[in-house]
Amino acid sequence: MAKLDDQARRDLFRGSLDTMVLAVLVDGPQYGYAIQKKVREASGQKVAAGSLYPLLHRLEVEGLVTPQWEEGKGRPRKWYALTPAGQSRLRSQAADWQAYLARLQGLILPALRRVATQG
């Protein structure tokens, strides 16, 4: 499979980061580094802490995630959990992404077939 150019890859990644973070939290509360790791594993893209933590703060302000500090084992960690509003947003964003992907495939796949037959 051909690789996207760097700018296209970054744009796709940025446009889906909220949805990916919400999806990671479906499995239960996670702390920032664990979220970074899971997003990287799923997307093949590294999310910088300077991007992730402001995003988590925004999701918190919007009521989509709720934070909780864990203290006692090592240094304190802030864990993030998905709220019911976050679950609803994830369902909505995931449906939007699926519909968008289907439209893109309807355009791109036939074009690729034509290009393949043109040699």
Side-chain angles (χ1 to χ4, degrees):
M1 181 164 73
K3 289 192 173 195
L4 295 172
D5 66 57
D6 288 342
Q7 185 62 48
R9 189 177 304 110
R10 282 191 300 270
D11 290 346
L12 284 171
F13 182 69
R14 260 183 276 183
S16 60
L17 189 54
D18 287 25
T19 306
M20 287 189 285
V21 168
L22 294 174
V24 164
L25 294 175
V26 164
D27 293 332
Q30 301 285 324
Y31 58 94
Y33 180 75
I35 295 169
Q36 278 181 303
K37 184 177 176 185
K38 289 182 179 186
V39 167
R40 183 178 57 243
E41 289 170 355
S43 69
Q45 297 291 310
K46 182 178 179 184
V47 56
S51 297
L52 178 64
Y53 289 102
L55 181 143
L56 286 167
H57 178 72
R58 182 175 49 77
L59 295 176
E60 179 183 344
V61 168
E62 293 177 11
L64 305 177
V65 300
T66 184
Q68 183 170 350
W69 283 98
E70 173 193 63
E71 299 189 34
K73 296 186 275 182
R75 66 175 225 237
R77 284 191 174 150
K78 191 174 189 179
W79 289 71
Y80 298 89
L82 200 57
T83 65
Q87 292 173 352
S88 178
R89 174 77 59 89
L90 174 61
R91 281 191 296 273
S92 174
Q93 287 179 342
D96 289 347
W97 268 101
Q98 289 174 327
Y100 181 66
L101 180 59
R103 289 190 302 272
L104 283 179
Q105 287 178 324
L107 174 66
I108 294 169
L109 294 178
L112 289 176
R113 286 186 207 105
R114 287 192 303 274
V115 167
T117 60
Q118 293 172 0

